[in-house]
Amino acid sequence: MTDWTRQPPRSVVTLDRAETIVQTDAGRSLVAGYRRMLAAAHPSLPDRHALDLGDFIDAVPHLALCAIHMPDQCVYRIVGEELKARIGFNPTGQNYYDLVPVERRPFAQRSMNMVIETSCGFVAEIEQTYSDDRTKAIEAVALPLGGRAGDADGYILFADQEVRTGRPRETEERVLLGANVVRRDLIDLGFGVDESFEDLVHTNR
C-alpha cells in the first residue's frame, strides 16, 4: 500500500538563481534561453508564437511543449526525440495527467494550472517507473509561455531529462508507466508564486 503526504516546495528562487539548483544540461539550457526571451518580452511573458528553439538548442531533444486546458488537461504538442526515446512512445496529443497516479492527479493539475495562472515556473525531481521494473530520476524544468490559441488556457515549455547522465541508452523495449514528484522548487519570474502550493509525495521511498 502506498502512503502519501503533503509536501511544500523545497525553495522559491528567482529566474536568475534557477541555474544554481538545476541539475541537467537541458534544464540549464532552457533557463538560460528563457531568461533572454523574458528580457526581450518584458513586461509580458515570452509569446509561444514567437518561440525560437535556437534560443536553447542544447535542450531541444529533451523539450516538450504542452497546452494547458483547465482544469484537467495538459496535452503534449511538441516532444523532443530524446524524450520520446526515453519514455518509449510518442506522447504527442496525449494528456500528461494520464501518467499520474489517481491520488496525486489533483496536485499535478494544480501545479500546471499554477504556472499559467501565476506566471511562475518550477524545477521538479520526478521518479518515473517503467515497464521493465526500472525507475529513473528525472528533472523537469517548466516555464510558461504567453499567447493563447484555440481553447488552450496557456502553454508550458518543459526541459525533461534524466538526472543521472553518462550511461548508454537501454536498447530493450520499455515504456513509461507512471511518474511521482520527489521534490519541487518554484521559480518566481517577477509575478510572484502560489505560496500555499503543496505536492503529494510518497512516504515509503
Side-chain angles (χ1 to χ4, degrees):
M1 178 178 177
T2 299
D3 293 322
W4 301 91
T5 187
R6 291 172 180 254
Q7 176 176 280
R10 181 176 62 174
S11 69
V12 178
V13 298
T14 63
L15 186 61
D16 288 339
R17 293 284 298 164
E19 284 183 79
T20 65
I21 63 170
V22 172
Q23 303 178 68
T24 58
D25 292 339
R28 284 187 288 267
S29 178
L30 176 59
V31 168
Y34 188 88
R35 187 187 301 115
R36 294 189 293 270
M37 293 170 60
L38 187 62
H42 182 79
S44 302
L45 289 176
D47 194 304
R48 83 167 190 94
H49 299 288
L51 181 62
D52 182 357
L53 297 182
D55 285 327
F56 23 76
I57 194 68
D58 292 339
V60 169
H62 306 278
L63 284 184
L65 176 67
C66 290
I68 305 301
H69 305 263
M70 297 183 189
D72 58 2
Q73 296 283 312
C74 176
V75 180
Y76 288 97
R77 295 300 187 204
I78 299 174
V79 184
E81 294 304 313
E82 285 294 327
L83 178 51
K84 292 177 190 175
R86 192 190 76 232
I87 67 176
F89 63 95
N90 182 357
T92 302
Q94 298 187 30
N95 185 5
Y96 164 73
Y97 303 134
D98 292 340
L99 298 172
V100 177
V102 172
E103 299 92 334
R104 200 176 69 79
R105 202 165 293 171
F107 294 82
Q109 293 166 357
R110 184 181 174 193
S111 72
M112 304 304 182
N113 295 345
M114 171 183 65
V115 170
I116 299 304
E117 293 178 317
T118 312
S119 296
C120 68
F122 66 72
V123 181
E125 183 175 331
I126 300 168
E127 183 182 76
Q128 293 185 340
T129 56
Y130 286 80
S131 56
D132 61 0
D133 294 326
R134 297 189 192 189
T135 61
K136 293 178 181 290
I138 306 300
E139 180 181 73
V141 180
L143 294 162
L145 296 176
R148 296 179 62 174
D151 61 347
D153 293 292
Y155 292 84
I156 302 178
L157 191 60
F158 293 89
D160 189 304
Q161 188 176 20
E162 188 173 1
V163 173
R164 290 183 290 274
T165 59
R167 61 186 185 185
R169 183 192 300 170
E170 298 92 339
T171 57
E172 67 271 16
E173 292 185 5
R174 80 262 181 263
V175 176
L176 176 64
L177 298 179
N180 284 303
V181 167
V182 176
R183 66 183 60 88
R184 191 189 308 265
D185 301 89
L186 302 185
I187 304 175
D188 188 341
L189 302 175
F191 308 101
V193 299
D194 181 355
E195 296 182 357
S196 68
F197 177 80
E198 292 180 316
D199 276 303
L200 193 68
V201 301
H202 279 166
T203 59
N204 60 344
R205 296 188 69 255

